[in-house]
Amino acid sequence: MKALKYIGMALAFPMMFACQQSDVQQDTDYQSMSDEERLEAARSMAQEFIMVDGHVDLPYRMKVGGFTLQREMLDVSERTDGGNFDYPRAKEGGLDAPFMSIYIPASYQERGGAKAFADSLILMTERIADTWPDKYAMAYSPSDIESNFEKGLISLPMGMENGAPIEDKLENVAYFHERGIRYVTLTHGKDNLIGDSSYDDTKTHGGLSEFGKEVVKEMNRVGIMVDISHVSDDTFYDVMELTSVPVIASHSSARKFTPGFERNMDDDMIKKLAENDGVIMINFGGSFIDGDYQQKTGEVREHIVNWLAENELSRNDPEAQKYISEYSAKHNPFPDVQKVADHIDHVVSLVGINHVGLGSDFDGVGDSLPTGLKDVSMYPNLFAELLKRGYSKEDIEKICSTNVFRVWRAVEDFASKS
């Protein structure tokens, strides 16, 4: 018996030591690290955790770049000139599952063809996975993303930005679920058949239309996440009263920092979203995170235009390019990575760590991206800033994917029982 006791103690000791090591790791004081050490820790976390970004506009970037199903595609398996996304940079930044935005400009609501345009972007996204199967794979669930992550592949889940392709046919909700769409942003730049947009002051429906209410119910039924980015405040509250499952804001930020900008969410909306167990995924665009961004950029632009005129130069002249570069650097109008962290801080202070994620809007907000977050290689800069502010390793994982996976799985579970 004594021998068995000692054997048991011997077996238990390494387990106890492992637990102690785990406790030490959990208690790591990232705030006391140097900036270099903290950034290295952030890079490690970005590689260790599955990272989901709620909104990347690559398909539309490819479409407007002239790439079609019949022509040679932009080679996003290699580092590209311009844009914010490609495979090498995504791997450097630790991005594993960028939601490919199937973006439908509001003009298609007016002239028709929204459904066909959506189908073309879906096919383009699928072609990326088919063309580079050693780098990309389609994903239709958190389980797909987890499986792809184990294989070292970047997942390409899809969200449809603007519900216009549903047209006036409720059956198109199930159609787009079958095509792989896993969230629908109900509106975009203008009111549509579903509801009112934050960018449109017409207030066509005063919130959700009667058809829109049926669309939300049908999305719940088939298993498509409802995305309330871009909707008016009235539409948001109608959705919250109606939905049977949590919802997301795939690429929105906090209105506290951008007063009057309805496209962002105010504090009451963020609290309501959290009561519903939803997630706000923070947009990185300059006008989303800095209320003074437009004014700052306007002042820099005006100065440069006047300087060029006074000196009788064009932007292409070497002297002008040198001056513009130096002046812009000295009077940098861009926010920095700390501004994005401020938005995350604000959400966490309001509703806790379980209701915030990443929704960069890469490839969708032009050159307005903040210093330190110019492309998909730079997420670790944000994580390092959060660690500096006292966020834990577990917090970073929640922001990366745990929170949005919780919502996504709740939507799947409800649909499976409907």
Side-chain angles (χ1 to χ4, degrees):
M1 293 294 291
K2 186 181 290 188
L4 289 174
K5 176 182 178 181
Y6 289 140
I7 291 171
M9 290 175 63
L11 291 172
F13 181 78
M15 294 176 64
M16 291 168 60
F17 182 68
C19 290
Q20 289 171 356
Q21 280 190 315
S22 177
D23 290 341
V24 168
Q25 290 170 355
Q26 290 175 2
D27 294 336
T28 299
D29 183 3
Y30 296 105
Q31 290 178 291
S32 67
M33 290 180 172
S34 68
D35 289 345
E36 293 76 12
E37 290 170 334
R38 199 160 34 239
L39 182 57
E40 187 57 38
R43 286 173 177 149
S44 178
M45 291 178 198
Q47 298 299 325
E48 178 181 351
F49 300 142
I50 294 175
M51 192 195 306
V52 177
D53 189 313
H55 196 89
V56 174
D57 273 297
L58 176 66
Y60 191 73
R61 170 189 162 200
M62 297 176 77
K63 188 77 171 181
V64 298
F67 302 97
T68 68
L69 295 177
Q70 290 75 38
R71 295 177 58 189
E72 183 179 354
M73 293 182 70
L74 176 68
D75 188 353
V76 289
S77 72
E78 303 292 341
R79 197 174 298 271
T80 62
D81 292 328
N84 311 128
F85 175 90
D86 53 49
Y87 181 82
R89 286 183 288 177
K91 279 296 186 180
E92 288 170 19
L95 178 60
D96 303 295
F99 263 94
M100 295 286 100
S101 173
I102 306 304
Y103 163 55
I104 314 301
S107 58
Y108 284 92
Q109 299 165 199
E110 300 161 354
R111 68 172 184 257
K115 183 170 181 283
F117 189 77
D119 279 331
S120 74
L121 294 186
I122 291 169
L123 288 169
M124 185 172 290
T125 303
E126 292 172 337
R127 188 179 171 193
I128 294 171
D130 291 341
T131 303
W132 300 288
D134 58 328
K135 294 178 172 64
Y136 298 103
M138 301 303 296
Y140 309 106
S141 67
S143 296
D144 286 346
I145 293 172
E146 290 166 346
S147 177
N148 291 337
F149 178 74
E150 292 300 319
K151 299 172 186 174
L153 300 173
I154 292 178
S155 292
L156 301 177
M158 293 184 292
M160 190 161 73
E161 186 179 23
N162 193 350
I166 294 170
E167 298 175 334
D168 59 353
K169 301 176 178 63
L170 196 62
E171 61 267 27
N172 279 338
V173 176
Y175 169 82
F176 280 112
H177 181 268
E178 182 66 23
R179 293 293 291 112
I181 296 297
R182 289 301 178 265
Y183 75 67
V184 172
T185 316
L186 298 180
T187 68
H188 193 257
K190 294 184 179 181
D191 300 350
N192 61 18
L193 295 180
I194 294 171
D196 295 345
S197 163
S198 63
Y199 284 135
D200 191 337
D201 58 8
T202 306
K203 298 188 181 299
T204 304
H205 311 287
L208 281 174
S209 68
E210 290 304 311
F211 176 68
K213 292 174 183 177
E214 294 304 312
V215 168
V216 169
K217 292 177 184 177
E218 183 69 356
M219 288 172 67
N220 286 179
R221 188 189 72 80
V222 304
I224 295 178
M225 289 182 283
V226 177
D227 175 22
I228 53 77
S229 289
H230 280 287
V231 304
S232 70
D233 290 7
D234 289 337
T235 303
F236 167 80
Y237 283 109
D238 283 350
V239 169
M240 302 312 290
E241 289 300 314
L242 192 62
T243 183
S244 298
V245 292
V247 307
I248 63 169
S250 69
H251 58 307
S252 296
S253 300
R255 199 179 300 173
K256 169 183 166 62
F257 302 96
T258 57
F261 187 37
E262 192 175 352
R263 174 64 179 79
N264 278 345
M265 299 181 70
D266 70 21
D267 289 3
D268 288 340
M269 296 167 75
I270 293 170
K271 291 175 182 176
K272 189 72 173 178
L273 185 77
E275 289 173 10
N276 170 255
D277 207 25
V279 175
I280 174 173
M281 308 178 81
I282 301 300
N283 192 310
F284 297 173
S287 59
F288 288 83
I289 61 174
D290 185 352
D292 296 326
Y293 171 75
Q294 296 294 356
Q295 179 183 338
K296 292 175 183 175
T297 53
E299 290 171 354
V300 170
R301 193 182 304 113
E302 182 179 7
H303 172 86
I304 290 172
V305 168
N306 291 336
W307 184 89
L308 290 170
E310 290 167 5
N311 291 274
E312 299 182 349
L313 294 171
S314 75
R315 286 180 176 271
N316 295 326
D317 291 320
E319 181 184 350
Q321 290 181 350
K322 181 175 184 294
Y323 180 84
I324 291 170
S325 177
E326 291 176 352
Y327 184 86
S328 298
K330 186 176 180 180
H331 301 84
N332 183 4
F334 299 107
D336 58 28
V337 67
Q338 293 176 334
K339 282 285 187 180
V340 179
D342 288 345
H343 283 256
I344 293 173
D345 270 354
H346 184 65
V347 173
V348 172
S349 71
L350 282 176
V351 296
I353 190 64
N354 295 329
H355 304 286
V356 65
L358 307 171
S360 65
D361 216 345
F362 279 138
D363 279 337
V365 287
D367 62 358
S368 75
L369 290 158
T371 302
L373 280 174
K374 293 294 188 183
D375 63 42
V376 292
S377 71
M378 298 185 182
Y379 296 98
N381 293 335
L382 174 59
F383 300 157
E385 177 62 27
L386 294 174
L387 293 174
K388 186 177 183 178
R389 298 183 184 204
Y391 285 72
S392 68
K393 186 175 181 180
E394 180 185 18
D395 293 336
I396 301 299
E397 184 173 19
K398 287 183 176 183
I399 292 168
C400 283
S401 58
T402 306
N403 290 342
V404 69
F405 277 0
R406 182 191 70 247
V407 173
W408 195 347
R409 286 191 162 114
V411 172
E412 288 182 327
D413 290 345
F414 182 85
S416 70
K417 299 169 184 174
S418 297

